[in-house]
Amino acid sequence: MTGRIAAAGAAYFAIVFIAGFLFGTLRTLWLTPWIGPLAAVAAELPPMLAIAYAASAPIMRRFAVGTRAERLAAGLVAFILLMAAEFALAAAFGIPPAAYAASWLTAPGALGLLGQVLFALVPALRGPRPAQ
């Protein structure tokens, strides 16, 4: 894997992770107590995927990641970084890795994991946008 693909994946991860951290905090502290965990994750998913969609093309263009295979590889890098960050955050809150992974077996956890997989696929599915 080339450095530009890894750099594109890392940049894509960073932008979406920062947004996800902010949205996740709002979801956890405000939305979940109000509408429940599944509805809160379902409400968070569209804006997060919109952010991923908006961020992907300029980042892929910036790092000259043009082919679908390269964009898929960059998305995989971003997904691996996201999973590492998620497990690290869970550990910081005292949640063992097995318990965190088991949370994917709940409806909110499965929906969240689906969103993370879609996040990884967005660069490949969206494709490059012509330079302006």
Side-chain angles (χ1 to χ4, degrees):
M1 177 175 315
T2 67
R4 65 186 169 75
I5 293 171
Y12 177 58
F13 153 76
I15 288 170
V16 178
F17 182 76
I18 290 167
F21 189 83
L22 295 173
F23 275 89
T25 300
L26 292 173
R27 174 182 43 84
T28 302
L29 297 178
W30 181 71
L31 204 53
T32 298
W34 186 45
I35 63 174
L38 181 58
V41 171
E44 179 186 22
L45 197 53
M48 284 304 307
L49 290 174
I51 290 167
Y53 183 86
S56 67
I59 291 169
M60 298 306 132
R61 191 172 48 252
R62 162 69 178 87
F63 289 96
V65 177
T67 69
R68 185 173 304 270
E70 289 175 334
R71 294 189 316 268
L72 187 59
L76 179 60
V77 168
F79 182 77
I80 291 167
L81 292 172
L82 177 63
M83 289 295 99
E86 293 278 338
F87 276 96
L89 276 174
F93 286 102
I95 302 168
Y100 178 70
S103 73
W104 296 330
L105 300 175
T106 68
L111 185 58
L113 182 60
L114 173 64
Q116 292 167 334
V117 169
L118 291 173
F119 149 79
L121 295 174
V122 163
L125 296 174
R126 176 161 189 202
R129 209 164 72 186
Q132 305 272 331

